[in-house]
Amino acid sequence: MINSMAANNKQISADANAPLRLSPGDRDEIVQRVTEFYEIAARRFGCSAHAVPVSFRLRGRAAGQWRLRQGQESLHFNERLFAADPGQHMPDTVAHEVAHSVVYRCHGRGKRPHGPEWRAVMKYLGFEPRVTHETSPELLARIDSAGAFEDVDA
């Protein structure tokens, strides 16, 4: 599916009016990677491998977000950013957000969001511990100006 996400990127780049949407298969692939990253981290760090709800409703310029509300974890991804620039966000952003969850599960609250614990999880998952994405300003402007569409969660 990563290849289909890359193919979608070419289509979106070529057609300025193309919708910034992920296919159901691309969404499924992201959810599958979330599950895989939790399982890998659980084996190494001894925390729960239970995956959390995933939403694709995040908007703005953030590519992903881990949330803890009333003791419940959730992961939120920006479908438009993933669809417009899949190579930039899949699987790096997915690992980035799962790493926040793993730090919470292993160490509780009070750790710095991108501190040494988070960096260690990212490295173990096989990713550079980057804090921001590098989507081009032109593409971000297009995403910012994109019209609303129906939201669907995984």
Side-chain angles (χ1 to χ4, degrees), residues 9-10 22 38 42 48 54 61 70-71 78-79 84-85 88 90 94 96 111 114-115 122 127 137-138 142 149 151 154:
N9 184 36
K10 290 177 185 170
L22 292 172
Y38 275 117
S48 170
V54 174
R61 292 181 175 221
Q70 298 178 339
N78 187 324
E79 178 176 38
D85 198 1
Q88 182 65 230
M90 179 63 176
V94 177
H96 178 121
K111 296 296 179 184
H114 301 108
M122 285 293 288
F127 296 91
E138 296 81 15
R142 175 167 176 246
F149 55 82
D151 287 316

Side-chain angles (χ1 to χ4, degrees), residues 61-127:
R61 292 181 175 221
Q65 189 176 70
W66 168 78
R67 294 181 187 164
L68 179 66
R69 300 268 158 74
Q70 298 178 339
Q72 300 297 311
E73 295 180 86
S74 58
L75 296 175
H76 302 264
F77 298 107
N78 187 324
E79 178 176 38
R80 291 175 176 165
L81 280 174
F82 272 74
D85 198 1
Q88 182 65 230
H89 303 292
M90 179 63 176
D92 302 57
T93 298
V94 177
H96 178 121
E97 301 310 330
V98 169
H100 285 300
S101 174
V102 169
V103 170
Y104 167 73
R105 291 175 181 198
C106 292
H107 302 283
R109 297 184 135 215
K111 296 296 179 184
R112 291 187 335 202
H114 301 108
E117 298 85 2
W118 177 85
R119 288 193 303 272
V121 174
M122 285 293 288
K123 287 178 182 175
Y124 186 77
L125 292 175
F127 296 91

